[in-house]
Amino acid sequence: MIGTDTNVIHIAMELWGMIFCLISSLCIYIGRDSSGKEGRRLLALHMCNAFLLLADALSWLFRGYPGTTGYVMVRVSNFLTFLLTDVMLLIYSEFLAAYIGRETKAKKIWFGAIHLVATVYAVFLIISQFNHMFYYFDENNLYHRAFYFPLSQVIGVLGTAISIALLIRYRSCFDRLQFGSFISYLLIPQAALIIQIKVYGISLLNIAVTICVLWMYVAMQVENGRKLMSQKQQLEEQMDKLVEQAHEIDEMQRNIMMSQIQPHFLYNSLNTIYYLCEKDPEKAQQAVSWFSDYLRGNLDSLKCRTTVTFETELDHVKNYLSLEKMRYGDDLKIEYDIKDTDFRLPALSVQPLVENAVKYGASNAENGGTVRISSYETDSCHVIKIEDNGEGFDVDEKKDDGRSHVGIENVKSRLKLMSDAALEIISIKGKGTTAIISVPISVPDKSANKV
């Protein structure tokens, strides 16, 4: 039974160390740091160290304690102290493996060696309970080191040496703080072990291990703080990017809307309506309705911050083509082959392509031109085709030909930004032009993330 102030201080230090480890374990668990492999291993390391300190404190408390209780407690607590030291070496190696991450042949060999050392240690420890090769107890129930006690320490040192070699081998996987906490767990306890061999009576090794385990917890918290700051910075960058994209889409929307309100088209439409008012009032009334809906569609696109249904866009196109058909008469033929409407796309993404097909394609065709609009679904995309039988052009040739190339690039950018869709222009001189929009199936509306 204890009777010295030194033993009281020793037991108190171990019990306080146990309390600190339990508190850090609770913090790891509550803070959800244990959700990953590293956190689970660190939690196990702290819990194991807490029980080791408790076992060692009990072994000192009951040394020399008479009776059956003292007999059992001294032997069980000492056995657990030695065994948990071995278990902690295994947990540490798993913790180290979790941080290294990548699997290599060399890594498997290293950790296989550590597990072998730990297994040999456990076997010798169990044998020692019968032949007392590591330690024994006298008739007064007092603990004593045996002849082969240094062997128990050498086996632990061998496992530590393997871990040090592994840590140095994969030094690049750790930052300075992480490396310092991992190497301290291996070096500081070994220094304490050397002192403890010469200065018997206080468990410097366990105290040193406790300090290192707590340091590893602090290092993980610092690392988590850095990760949170990095995630915050990434989130802010993403938000800035979303805001920039939102402004870019708004600007594109305004530009495309303004490009559609072309003076010549407006004048021609109003002049046609003017003559129809006297010649065919009923048709003029219908033309005014088309014209009004067309203008409303353009203006509504300014307020539209998300994609629209293809049916909405198609209605706007039909209003435009009705006005053009009223102007060109039989010289302009319109064909529709709509087989798929159940998808969304940016507002005013089809109408500019149709306008180009009329203005630069069908209107220049001899004996009248045709604009054909079709839609269908493939295994991966919703496809829209706008075809004309006009004169065609060289899509690779950049020249000042009056075509709305900027408007097409605007449409292409908005399709990509808002729907992850693609626009392809195919044109053959003398045969005509085809514009193809491909909208991926089940793609979420990216514009919904706008702020």
Side-chain angles (χ1 to χ4, degrees), residues 340 343 376-384 437-441:
D340 181 25
F343 60 96
Y376 57 90
E377 181 180 333
T378 66
D379 291 338
S380 59
C381 293
H382 303 283
V383 179
I384 308 166
I437 297 175
S438 300
V439 182
I441 292 177

Side-chain angles (χ1 to χ4, degrees), residues 12-279:
M13 290 177 64
E14 293 203 302
L15 291 178
W16 274 111
M18 177 196 72
I19 292 172
F20 287 140
C21 284
L22 289 176
I23 292 173
S24 61
S25 298
L26 183 62
C27 292
I28 294 171
Y29 181 78
I30 294 176
R32 297 188 178 181
D33 293 324
S34 60
S35 58
K37 287 184 179 180
E38 299 94 336
R40 289 195 296 270
R41 301 300 186 274
L42 184 60
L43 176 61
L45 201 62
H46 278 247
M47 291 295 295
C48 187
N49 191 64
F51 286 116
L52 186 152
L53 291 171
L54 177 61
D56 196 48
L58 291 174
S59 72
W60 283 92
L61 180 63
F62 284 95
R63 286 183 187 185
Y65 199 95
T68 304
T69 301
Y71 181 89
V72 173
M73 290 300 296
V74 165
R75 283 157 180 77
V76 171
S77 59
N78 274 279
F79 174 76
L80 289 177
T81 299
F82 277 78
L83 180 63
L84 289 174
T85 301
D86 188 46
V87 173
M88 286 190 69
L89 176 63
L90 284 175
I91 296 175
Y92 173 84
S93 68
E94 294 296 330
F95 187 31
L96 185 59
Y99 255 95
I100 293 173
R102 61 179 182 269
E103 292 293 334
T104 63
K105 185 177 180 180
K107 177 184 169 184
K108 291 180 179 179
I109 293 174
W110 284 109
F111 283 108
I114 292 175
H115 281 70
L116 178 61
V117 169
T119 302
V120 170
Y121 179 91
V123 170
F124 281 174
L125 178 62
I126 293 172
I127 294 174
S128 176
Q129 305 308 301
F130 301 97
N131 64 7
H132 310 296
M133 59 188 294
F134 288 162
Y135 58 86
Y136 66 93
F137 302 92
D138 62 20
E139 64 277 4
N140 295 318
N141 206 30
L142 293 174
Y143 166 91
H144 297 279
R145 293 174 178 175
F147 181 77
Y148 288 104
F149 174 80
L151 178 61
S152 68
Q153 307 303 303
V154 169
I155 294 176
V157 171
L158 179 60
T160 299
I162 295 173
S163 297
I164 291 174
L166 188 66
L167 186 59
I168 294 175
R169 167 66 178 79
Y170 292 97
R171 170 69 179 84
S172 60
C173 297
F174 305 84
D175 61 25
R176 184 177 299 178
L177 180 62
Q178 293 169 347
F179 184 80
S181 66
F182 273 95
I183 200 71
S184 70
Y185 182 86
L186 299 173
L187 297 182
I188 294 178
Q190 297 310 308
L193 176 62
I194 294 173
I195 299 174
Q196 184 172 294
I197 291 175
K198 295 184 177 182
V199 181
Y200 180 68
I202 186 168
S203 298
L204 294 175
L205 174 61
N206 294 339
I207 294 172
V209 168
T210 301
I211 293 173
C212 294
V213 165
L214 292 173
W215 184 5
M216 295 175 84
Y217 168 72
V218 172
M220 172 170 271
Q221 296 310 305
V222 173
E223 180 187 1
N224 289 341
R226 290 174 179 173
K227 287 181 178 178
L228 286 175
M229 289 298 295
S230 176
Q231 290 173 357
K232 180 182 177 183
Q233 184 177 0
Q234 291 176 1
L235 182 60
E236 289 175 349
E237 290 175 354
Q238 290 175 356
M239 291 297 293
D240 290 341
K241 187 175 181 180
L242 285 174
V243 171
E244 184 180 346
Q245 286 184 351
H247 292 161
E248 186 177 348
I249 290 173
D250 283 344
E251 184 64 26
M252 289 179 180
Q253 208 83 329
R254 284 192 293 271
N255 290 341
I256 198 71
M257 189 277 292
M258 294 304 297
S259 71
Q260 295 313 110
I261 305 179
Q262 298 187 31
H264 291 298
F265 172 72
L266 297 180
Y267 296 154
N268 290 333
S269 298
L270 288 173
N271 282 332
T272 302
I273 293 171
Y274 174 79
Y275 288 115
L276 285 174
C277 285
E278 182 176 349
K279 184 177 179 180

Side-chain angles (χ1 to χ4, degrees), residues 335-387:
E335 295 180 359
Y336 295 99
D337 183 17
I338 307 301
K339 297 178 180 177
D340 181 25
T341 59
D342 189 19
F343 60 96
R344 302 176 68 88
L345 72 172
L348 293 181
S349 54
V350 178
Q351 199 273 339
L353 303 174
V354 173
E355 182 177 332
N356 276 1
V358 173
K359 185 176 180 181
Y360 303 112
S363 64
N364 296 325
E366 295 183 7
N367 301 320
T370 300
V371 173
R372 189 172 190 270
I373 302 171
S374 58
S375 68
Y376 57 90
E377 181 180 333
T378 66
D379 291 338
S380 59
C381 293
H382 303 283
V383 179
I384 308 166
K385 281 188 178 181
I386 300 98
E387 303 170 84

Side-chain angles (χ1 to χ4, degrees), residues 310-323:
F310 176 60
E311 289 179 328
T312 300
E313 180 70 3
L314 186 60
D315 287 342
H316 185 65
V317 168
K318 287 180 177 179
N319 288 326
Y320 166 76
L321 287 175
S322 296
L323 292 170

